[in-house]
């Protein structure tokens, strides 16, 4: 009998109000059941929010440095348990161990950054325009935060949101993706062990419509942070707009790697293989378009095909695996439907089918796929696929590459391979993305820099780095007039 997991609500590990559970299965071997997780409902969310309101009162009054010390401990425990968490994440999510180790490391980096931010949370002290008067700002926590996360970074993305939310003094109701509940469970265990007050941290498992929806529309949750599809983000945005909530959205991408004729070709090859097929293409930063200059198009493709055919598919926990499975059957069907489109919109040079063979029968494996001759503006060139499918588009000069890069509705990351400094700086200025890399792939953001995209990728906020702390706190402006008389700003001093 698989282990039955619980929600964490009001300081206790509890069964869901529904009494119902869902199974969490390994995408590399669907017969491997990891556990049964609560299929919670609105009543569980209500209890969680009620507890988080109490938790907020305790935690928001804990001094920032004391909060930071607890987050530092969480980072230490994560460091000790890194391998165990990585293995749990690979088992439920599928990506290779090398990557889940990186995923956990991103969480650790975020913990240590958040720990020190507890000693900063800077405000400003500013001269007043009037004599004997002080003006300054400080940062206040906002309240209960609702955190809704996807499957592809089971540790990094929850930590990006929860550590800064806690560092700023907010309490948390966490609804992880139903595909990766075990990693979420481990993370919450660690936070509690580190000393986060149990009332300040709630974990509610379940599905978007049952748990995510009541959380997003709960009147006592003024802050929502969501990473997922642009379609779901739009619905959340409408609800939060109506309810005047603070909302951070991190959504789709259609990221391009541009290869110029002056590039180091070996480096560009390494970059696109990692960017397109790492995480089986299931990153919002994944390289899903390869823009090749006419002069190197054929030669580059030939080498890329040879390298792609060498990639070994398999269980991500095995040392010789390069590419793991897709997350579930629905994702496999989506990828298949785009391959159908590829048949008419381009030429499939490799892959294009569900992968069969030894050790692959029981998982959602799809062959790394390259489609050449894709026209800019076509569906394959503009829609997010979230799988191992790379569309190759030709261009004849950098202006055209910029235009193609910018024509999609998303704007997360972009990459240019070039040895020309002028091209590099033009890329920084003219590629319409939140992140541009020169001589590095479209994936690989670092935890201490802001992360996010423009256009339909986001809604103007950033995760990571120093910027996310703005999102999780309110600026309070404080004036103190010690002149002993009424001083009218803009009037008495003019
Ligand atoms: C995501 O794809 O949802 O830059 C996040 C990267 C990672 C984060 C990706 N550090 O690829």
């Amino acid at each position: 009998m698989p282990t039955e997991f619980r929600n964490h609500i009001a300081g206790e590990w509890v069964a869901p109000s529904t009494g119902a559970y869902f199974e969490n299965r390994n995408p590399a071997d669907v017969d491997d059941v990891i556990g049964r997780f609560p299929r919670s409902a609105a009543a569980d969310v209500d209890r969680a929010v009620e507890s988080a309101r109490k938790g907020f009162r305790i935690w928001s009054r804990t001094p920032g440095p004391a909060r930071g010390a607890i987050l530092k401990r969480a980072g230490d425990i994560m460091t000790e348990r890194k391998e165990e968490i990585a293995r749990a994440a690979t088992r439920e999510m599928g990506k290779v161990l090398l990557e889940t180790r990186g995923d956990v490391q991103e969480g650790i980096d975020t913990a240590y950054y958040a720990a020190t931010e507890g000693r900063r949370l800077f405000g400003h002290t500013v001269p007043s325009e009037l004599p004997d008067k002080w003006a300054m700002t400080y940062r206040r926590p906002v309240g209960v935060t609702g955190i809704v996360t996807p499957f592809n970074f089971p540790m990094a993305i929850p930590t990006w949101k929860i550590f800064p939310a806690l560092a700023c003094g907010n309490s948390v109701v966490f609804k992880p993706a139903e595909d990766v509940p075990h990693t979420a469970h481990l993370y919450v265990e660690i936070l509690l062990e580190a000393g986060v007050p149990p009332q300040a941290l709630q974990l509610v498992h379940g599905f978007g419509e049952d748990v995510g929806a009541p959380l997003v529309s709960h009147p006592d949750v003024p802050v929502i942070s969501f990473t997922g599809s642009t379609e779901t983000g739009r619905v959340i945005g409408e609800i939060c707009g109506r309810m005047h909530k603070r909302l951070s959205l991190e959504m789709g991408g259609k990221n391009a790697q541009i290869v110029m004729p002056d590039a180091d070709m070996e480096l560009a090859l390494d970059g696109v293989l990692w960017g397109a097929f790492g995480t089986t293409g299931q990153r919002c930063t994944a390289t899903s378009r390869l823009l090749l200059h006419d002069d190197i198009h054929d030669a580059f493709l030939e080498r890329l095909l040879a390298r792609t055919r060498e990639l070994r598919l398999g269980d991500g926990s095995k040392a010789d695996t390069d590419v793991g499975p897709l997350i579930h059957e629905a994702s496999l069907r989506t990828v298949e439907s785009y391959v159908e489109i590829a048949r008419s919109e381009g030429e499939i040079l490799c892959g294009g089918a569900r992968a069969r063979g030894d050790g692959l029968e029981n998982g959602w494996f799809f062959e790394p796929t390259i489609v050449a001759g894709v026209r800019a503006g076509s569906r394959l060139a503009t829609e997010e696929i979230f799988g191992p499918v790379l569309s190759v588009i030709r261009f004849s000069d950098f202006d055209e590459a910029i235009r193609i890069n910018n024509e999609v509705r998303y704007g997360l990351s972009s990459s240019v391979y070039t040895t020309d400094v002028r091209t590099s700086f033009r890329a920084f200025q003219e590629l319409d993305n939140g992140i541009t890399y020169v001589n590095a792939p479209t994936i690989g953001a670092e935890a201490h820099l802001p992360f996010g995209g423009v256009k339909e990728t986001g809604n103007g906020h950033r995760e990571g780095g120093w910027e996310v702390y703005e999102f999780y706190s309110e600026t309070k402006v404080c004036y103190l007039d010690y002149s002993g008389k009424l001083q009218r700003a803009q009037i008495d001093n003019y």
Side-chain angles (χ1 to χ4, degrees):
M1 186 70 182
T3 314
E4 211 164 76
F5 286 81
R6 301 265 181 267
N7 290 323
H8 183 263
I9 300 177
E12 285 179 89
W13 292 99
V14 291
S17 63
T18 56
Y21 290 81
F22 64 91
E23 278 179 341
N24 178 22
R25 287 171 183 263
N26 181 341
D29 173 8
V30 292
D31 292 337
D32 176 22
V33 180
I34 295 154
R36 287 158 47 78
F37 286 83
R39 191 160 184 171
S40 318
D44 303 294
V45 173
D46 287 346
R47 285 197 56 221
V49 174
E50 199 185 310
S51 167
R53 291 184 67 191
K54 294 194 190 110
F56 178 68
R57 287 197 283 277
I58 304 164
W59 186 240
S60 60
R61 286 178 196 159
T62 306
R67 295 195 298 253
I70 290 172
L71 303 185
K72 153 85 170 53
R73 258 198 308 279
D76 292 343
I77 302 170
M78 281 168 71
T79 305
E80 278 161 30
R81 295 178 65 180
K82 180 172 169 180
E83 188 61 22
E84 174 208 343
I85 304 166
R87 286 188 181 273
T90 289
R91 188 174 167 203
E92 66 180 349
M93 188 275 164
K95 67 185 174 186
V96 296
L97 260 179
L98 179 83
E99 292 189 42
T100 44
R101 287 186 190 122
D103 192 330
V104 179
Q105 187 58 47
E106 206 162 338
I108 295 167
D109 296 342
T110 304
Y112 291 146
Y113 190 104
T116 59
E117 192 57 29
R119 289 191 177 270
R120 280 187 296 264
L121 293 173
F122 291 138
H124 294 275
T125 306
V126 186
S128 165
E129 63 186 45
L130 291 157
D132 298 334
K133 187 178 172 191
W134 271 60
M136 58 191 180
T137 69
Y138 82 101
R139 309 259 294 283
R140 302 166 72 210
V142 193
V144 178
T145 59
I147 306 293
V148 184
T149 56
F151 74 85
N152 62 341
F153 278 81
M155 196 50 135
I157 294 180
T159 59
W160 279 359
K161 297 178 189 297
I162 292 174
F163 280 132
L166 290 173
C168 289
N170 304 288
S171 60
V172 169
V173 180
F174 174 26
K175 188 274 190 230
E178 61 274 15
D179 304 298
V180 290
H182 189 207
T183 312
H185 174 91
L186 295 175
Y187 179 38
V188 168
E189 247 181 25
I190 288 169
L191 286 167
L192 294 170
E193 186 188 333
V196 173
Q199 304 273 3
L201 177 64
Q202 330 289 319
L203 170 65
V204 188
H205 290 290
F207 292 83
E209 59 275 24
D210 304 328
V211 177
L215 178 60
V216 164
S217 54
H218 199 294
D220 294 326
V221 183
V223 185
I224 300 290
S225 181
F226 169 78
T227 297
S229 74
T230 295
E231 288 61 39
T232 305
R234 182 172 297 116
V235 175
I236 293 176
E238 283 167 8
I239 296 165
C240 291
R242 273 201 301 280
M243 298 183 78
H244 309 295
K245 292 190 183 206
R246 180 180 286 232
L247 170 67
S248 172
L249 293 173
E250 203 54 67
M251 303 173 288
K254 188 72 190 176
N255 316 296
Q257 174 176 319
I258 300 168
V259 185
M260 297 299 285
D262 58 51
D264 175 335
M265 293 303 154
E266 210 51 45
L267 195 63
L269 274 170
D270 289 342
V272 68
L273 281 162
W274 178 233
F277 302 125
T279 328
T280 322
Q282 301 170 109
R283 295 196 187 211
C284 36
T285 51
T287 307
S288 55
R289 296 183 293 163
L290 174 64
L291 276 52
L292 295 179
H293 191 280
D294 280 333
D295 293 355
I296 47 102
H297 180 275
D298 295 354
F300 191 90
L301 255 189
E302 194 178 314
R303 289 168 72 183
L304 176 61
L305 272 176
R307 296 272 306 267
T308 304
R309 290 194 177 111
E310 284 167 13
L311 294 173
R312 290 154 306 184
L313 263 79
D315 183 331
S317 65
K318 305 249 159 71
D320 57 358
T321 300
D322 297 310
V323 181
L326 290 164
I327 189 67
H328 44 40
E329 185 176 4
S331 167
L332 186 97
R333 301 292 164 231
T334 305
V335 174
E336 281 174 345
S337 73
Y338 275 101
V339 167
E340 274 316 303
I341 297 168
R343 290 187 209 291
S344 56
E345 288 193 350
E347 187 192 348
I348 300 171
L349 298 184
C350 67
R354 181 171 183 174
R356 309 274 179 188
D358 247 12
L360 306 180
E361 309 80 2
N362 258 345
W364 309 117
F365 294 97
F366 201 89
E367 295 169 349
T369 301
I370 298 177
V371 188
V374 173
R375 267 181 315 98
S378 63
R379 286 191 64 189
L380 227 56
T382 55
E383 294 180 18
E384 183 174 51
I385 300 174
F386 230 63
V389 181
L390 179 68
S391 301
V392 184
I393 305 171
R394 252 178 202 280
F395 66 90
S396 48
D397 60 35
F398 192 51
D399 285 324
E400 189 186 358
I402 293 172
R403 198 163 40 69
I404 296 170
N405 177 77
N406 292 352
E407 77 179 356
V408 296
R409 64 188 178 116
Y410 302 111
L412 186 50
S413 63
S414 53
S415 145
V416 181
Y417 280 79
T418 180
T419 46
D420 184 301
V421 73
R422 195 164 171 267
T423 307
S424 306
F425 276 88
R426 280 196 66 199
F428 289 151
Q429 290 186 324
E430 295 177 49
L431 296 176
D432 204 6
N433 302 93
I435 308 169
T436 293
Y437 294 92
V438 173
N439 295 333
T442 60
I443 70 179
E446 300 180 23
H448 59 299
L449 277 101
F451 178 91
V454 300
K455 300 195 276 188
E456 290 185 38
T457 291
N459 66 338
H461 293 290
R462 291 290 182 274
E463 316 237 42
W466 52 95
E467 288 205 13
V468 72
Y469 294 86
E470 304 282 333
F471 176 74
Y472 288 108
S473 58
E474 291 279 9
T475 297
K476 175 65 158 288
V477 180
C478 308
Y479 294 107
L480 195 152
D481 189 324
Y482 57 98
S483 68
K485 57 179 189 274
L486 173 68
Q487 298 199 88
R488 294 169 298 182
Q490 298 97 33
I491 296 171
D492 291 334
N493 46 337
Y494 288 102

